[in-house]
Amino acid sequence: MNLTLRNSFLITILSLFFNNEAKSQATGNAIKGSIGFASSSSYYIENYGNQEEVDVMGGGFYLQGEYIIGVKSWFSIRPYAGAIFTSVDKNQNLQNQPQYKVTTNAFLVGTKVRLCAPIPWVAPFIEGGIGTSIGKFETFTPGVNFNKSDMLLHIPFSLGLAIGRKNNFEIAISGYFHPAAKQSSAILGLGYTFPLD
């Protein structure tokens, strides 16, 4: 009896995950717009574990547009363009170190791919890719002094949920890593997808 019950459960689960009707994202083309809160921080927490530990961050605004090429219900290619604008609170209270800051004011261009579980209504996804940031980057901490207006490589990475009947709404946590500037930007964003086909 246990073997029959286990096989029935396994067949049900596999049917849900691989059923052609259960699409987490449509194949074909679409456009997605995202907006959210951005936070820039140094790769390092200075003097970690000491009383003089310094974690310097900047906060701000993020927006992005994507052109979605839906290859399969679980896989898509996503060229994107966007912007991150962060600044440091002018009234931050760092003892004897008021000048430390991490800011990003840049336009983003690149391509990422998405792997998405084919589950209706709530579909978890993961994204990764490569891109270029064009703008001003400032990472000024006790151990790093980077202040340039330049074009830098960035690596995007996201975890999120596509929700709704057609999975048009999204909530995601994203990161844009800038190795040359020794900083990263964390994003909490909301998005909406407009099908074109």
Side-chain angles (χ1 to χ4, degrees), residues 3 22 75 118 155 158 161 183:
L3 183 60
F75 178 77
I155 301 165
S158 298
L161 293 173
Q183 67 169 251

Side-chain angles (χ1 to χ4, degrees), residues 43-72:
Y43 274 3
Y44 313 104
I45 297 176
E46 304 292 340
N47 300 319
Y48 182 74
N50 294 338
Q51 288 182 337
E52 298 169 3
E53 180 179 310
V54 178
D55 187 11
V56 185
M57 300 179 71
F61 180 72
Y62 157 84
L63 57 93
Q64 181 172 288
E66 299 176 15
Y67 181 74
I68 302 167
I69 304 164
V71 179
K72 297 282 187 184

